Amino acid sequence: MLTILRAAACAVMAVAIFLPAPAWAQWIRAETDHFIIYGAGSERSLRAYAERVERFDFLLRTYYPIRVDHEIPKLEIYLAEGRRDMLLAEPGISASIGGFYSPNSSRIHAVVNTQSDMGDEVMFHEYGHHFMFQMRANAYPSWFVEGFAEYYATAEIRPDRIQFGRHSEGRMLMFVQQPVNSWAPMADVLKWRISDSGRYRAGDYYAQAWGLTHYFMSTPERTRMLGQYLTAVSRGEDSVLAMQAATGRTPDQLQNDMRLYLTGPIRVQTPQIEIPTPRVEITRLSPVESELAWLDLRLDREPIKVEAFEPEEGETERARETRERAMQEYTEARATLIRDALAAGARHPEARIAQLVQARAHRLEGRSQAGFAVLEPRLTGDESDPVTLRLAAELLLDLAQSETDPALATGHRREARAYLTRALNADPLDFRIYRALNESRNGEATYPTDNDISTLEVGVTLAPQSFDMRMRLARAYMARGLYGEAVMTVQPVANSPHGGAWAARAKALVASALTAMGQTAPPVEATPSDEAPSEEAGQPAAAAA
């Protein structure tokens, strides 16, 4: 629903945004060891930004080394040069948002407003989330997921010095401006649940998650307690009981300990480490790629299917009318996006990026055959572009799904797999290829085979941030009776601080798996849902301060 409300806020604006401009600034691409960064600013500014985020990654890996036996896909970051660019990236986004992170669309990426005072803080917060999912033990409780990101978000990264654990002015304001008895109860923070009144106290939760993380990070003894607590929670122990066992403090006592710590000088760390000079490779996008960059990104993030509007049980007529109006406005905004994409494709019929944009637009409007026809001239035996090959396969899988003739459907799937095999040879690090391979097999009589499981496991390994991939793998595990593996796979989804549909589905799956193993499923705590800020929807917590 947040997606609908967000798009609806600017349905008319979107028409003007995507009209062809007289001239487009040339975009630059900067690639480092862990990032691919796009922007229309100067090469000097883009290089400086690339070096800064790469040094931030170095900081995290210094304290939390990730040992993997595979190459880690690079995170894409798009630099928005102010409000107009932010609206190009996400029409209707609030002017107060300094950036956002989208892990569950077809392209895992972040967008940062370089003219926002909070640009770095937002990016470091969101990358904290992205990085945490790569850790082997990543099923952390919700408050620590946010507290970890908030703790490192205020880092100061310079070529000659790194500092972290600095004050978060926005979070400190909550502690200063509100009396202690109005804070969210610590037991609620530890379980990340809605208050008894049903109100989601987002400001309290984020501030207290930051404060509690800072308290535990302030001394080696407390850090050891935190580690004991996190280990216990990862084993499935109750968050409140695990905290009491690790610290010897009740939630109320812990609340007071945190308050006393924050009223004094907090610990800011300046590690004495040799800071490397990151490798940055600069290339320039073509004029057409520069013109269509934002449009291409939006199309990749737009859901292929939109759920039909259905009245919700118990909602008032006013609430229903509001949702219905938002859905109608979203539908209009989506139609505008499709129309503008088709027009852009028609302006540059021979350009690869324009063909991809046009094909994606046809797919969104439910005309996958037309989308495939746009790409078909490129699909020669020499075509090695993994994005083109994958998109062609996805369009064929759409056709297979809607085909009533089983023989034709099988032919579409066989052709799609051939394209996906070629795409995989060209780019074995793209999790979306593994997702499409899974889609080509899902629903068949023998699914899931060992090979199906392996395909999904590789996809999750490459994109542990993708809730979609985790849920696909967990369902396959469930079908094979691998209930423990299913729980481990989706526990980070169930612990998502933002709740919503993904967390609800993950919690239901965990409950089913535990029941199948003869264990008692814990009661499902109420969690923030669509009223809560959503990072995927462009409402990152760090930007909401």
Side-chain angles (χ1 to χ4, degrees):
M1 181 55 68
L2 272 176
T3 303
I4 296 171
L5 293 174
R6 186 177 69 251
C10 212
V12 176
M13 186 184 304
V15 177
I17 286 175
F18 289 112
L19 287 177
W24 291 87
Q26 185 177 35
W27 278 51
I28 305 173
R29 180 183 188 271
E31 183 171 357
T32 68
D33 288 344
H34 299 98
F35 302 92
I36 298 175
I37 304 159
Y38 300 92
S42 68
E43 179 178 334
R44 180 180 178 181
S45 64
L46 191 67
R47 184 180 294 275
Y49 188 87
E51 291 178 350
R52 191 157 65 250
V53 293
E54 188 64 42
R55 288 188 177 105
F56 181 70
D57 175 89
F58 165 76
L59 165 66
L60 294 182
R61 291 182 195 279
T62 298
Y63 284 87
Y64 310 97
I66 299 175
R67 296 178 177 85
V68 295
D69 56 3
H70 63 89
E71 187 177 346
I72 298 175
K74 300 178 182 184
L75 175 65
E76 291 185 314
I77 304 175
Y78 289 77
L79 301 185
E81 304 290 328
R83 176 69 175 152
R84 182 179 183 274
D85 276 356
M86 287 296 290
L87 289 171
L88 287 169
E90 188 59 62
I93 193 170
S94 169
S96 65
I97 298 299
F100 61 90
Y101 169 62
S102 180
N104 283 315
S105 64
S106 188
R107 186 183 300 183
I108 298 177
H109 65 279
V111 176
V112 179
N113 184 353
T114 59
Q115 295 185 12
S116 169
D117 292 338
M118 296 186 65
D120 280 356
E121 190 168 337
V122 169
M123 187 60 239
F124 294 162
H125 175 105
E126 302 302 351
Y127 190 65
H129 288 321
H130 184 85
F131 182 89
M132 178 179 276
F133 270 105
Q134 299 173 58
M135 298 180 184
R136 187 171 299 277
N138 55 30
Y140 297 114
S142 302
W143 73 266
F144 185 67
V145 172
E146 287 304 331
F148 178 90
E150 288 284 272
Y151 179 73
Y152 286 101
T154 58
E156 182 184 68
I157 308 294
R158 299 190 338 204
D160 60 340
R161 189 187 75 175
I162 293 177
Q163 276 194 342
F164 63 96
R166 300 162 74 231
H167 268 93
S168 174
E169 295 182 7
R171 302 314 176 199
M172 282 300 296
L173 281 175
M174 193 287 296
F175 293 119
V176 172
Q177 293 178 350
Q178 295 189 35
V180 175
N181 59 11
S182 71
W183 294 4
M186 182 58 73
D188 283 357
V189 174
L190 292 176
K191 293 193 174 185
W192 197 265
R193 62 188 176 193
I194 297 173
S195 65
D196 293 338
S197 67
R199 184 169 69 90
Y200 172 55
R201 302 169 59 161
D204 295 1
Y205 277 124
Y206 282 108
Q208 289 175 243
W210 167 77
L212 190 58
T213 301
H214 215 298
Y215 167 78
F216 278 116
M217 295 289 202
S218 62
T219 70
E221 181 185 7
R222 291 172 186 164
T223 302
R224 283 193 295 270
M225 291 180 183
L226 176 63
Q228 294 169 5
Y229 158 78
L230 293 174
T231 299
V233 172
S234 69
R235 292 196 301 257
E237 295 183 24
D238 178 84
S239 182
V240 173
L241 297 179
M243 182 62 79
Q244 286 187 235
T247 64
R249 309 292 283 172
T250 67
D252 288 344
Q253 290 171 329
L254 188 61
Q255 185 94 297
N256 190 55
D257 293 342
M258 180 186 69
R259 180 185 63 81
L260 291 174
Y261 168 71
L262 293 173
T263 58
I266 66 174
R267 185 184 181 193
V268 177
Q269 303 198 48
T270 307
Q272 301 303 304
I273 53 179
E274 184 176 349
I275 304 171
T277 299
R279 175 194 65 84
V280 181
E281 182 180 339
I282 299 290
T283 55
R284 297 183 181 277
L285 274 62
S286 70
V288 178
E289 289 172 328
S290 301
E291 176 187 340
L292 303 186
W294 288 123
L295 188 56
D296 177 59
L297 182 65
R298 275 200 62 204
L299 288 163
D300 232 2
R301 195 167 60 241
E302 186 72 13
I304 302 303
K305 296 179 180 179
V306 179
E307 294 182 8
F309 178 84
E310 296 287 348
E312 294 180 354
E313 184 178 353
E315 73 176 334
T316 64
E317 183 177 352
R318 180 178 179 182
R320 181 190 61 76
E321 290 176 351
T322 299
R323 287 199 310 115
E324 195 168 18
R325 182 167 57 252
M327 174 62 83
Q328 181 179 354
E329 291 173 343
Y330 166 71
T331 302
E332 294 172 358
R334 182 181 171 98
T336 299
L337 171 63
I338 293 170
R339 184 168 59 250
D340 291 337
L342 294 176
R347 289 197 301 272
H348 310 284
E350 302 302 319
R352 165 189 169 274
I353 184 67
Q355 292 170 349
L356 292 174
V357 162
Q358 196 170 27
R360 289 195 186 103
H362 281 311
R363 191 180 186 206
L364 291 182
E365 66 178 352
R367 299 179 63 227
S368 295
Q369 183 65 63
F372 185 80
V374 171
L375 298 181
E376 196 165 17
R378 299 185 64 90
L379 300 175
T380 65
D382 296 332
E383 180 58 54
S384 60
D385 175 46
V387 177
T388 301
L389 294 167
R390 174 179 54 81
L391 180 55
E394 289 170 339
L395 290 163
L396 286 169
L397 292 175
D398 291 344
L399 296 175
Q401 190 173 29
S402 60
E403 181 56 64
T404 57
D405 185 335
L408 291 177
T410 298
H412 288 322
R413 289 193 184 93
R414 186 180 296 114
E415 187 178 2
R417 288 174 192 143
Y419 287 134
L420 291 172
T421 299
R422 291 165 58 185
L424 198 60
N425 289 333
D427 186 4
L429 297 182
D430 188 346
F431 81 95
R432 297 169 295 185
I433 300 173
Y434 299 89
R435 181 186 63 190
L437 284 168
N438 172 253
E439 198 66 32
S440 75
R441 285 277 303 145
N442 202 350
E444 295 196 3
T446 58
Y447 180 86
T449 64
D450 289 347
N451 189 60
D452 294 324
I453 295 287
S454 297
T455 297
L456 286 169
E457 287 175 338
V458 174
V460 171
T461 298
L462 293 173
Q465 304 85 4
S466 171
F467 290 178
D468 176 30
M469 290 301 297
R470 285 181 176 271
M471 290 297 292
R472 286 172 183 261
L473 176 56
R475 292 190 186 107
Y477 279 148
M478 292 287 285
R480 294 288 297 272
L482 302 172
Y483 304 119
E485 289 85 345
V487 171
M488 291 179 61
T489 299
V490 298
Q491 197 64 63
V493 184
N495 290 353
S496 170
H498 304 287
W502 284 114
R505 289 194 290 266
K507 288 178 180 178
L509 189 147
V510 168
S512 296
L514 292 176
T515 300
M517 290 189 291
Q519 301 180 22
T520 302
V524 178
E525 298 285 352
T527 55
S529 58
D530 286 344
E531 287 73 35
S534 167
E535 291 172 9
E536 182 182 355
Q539 304 289 333

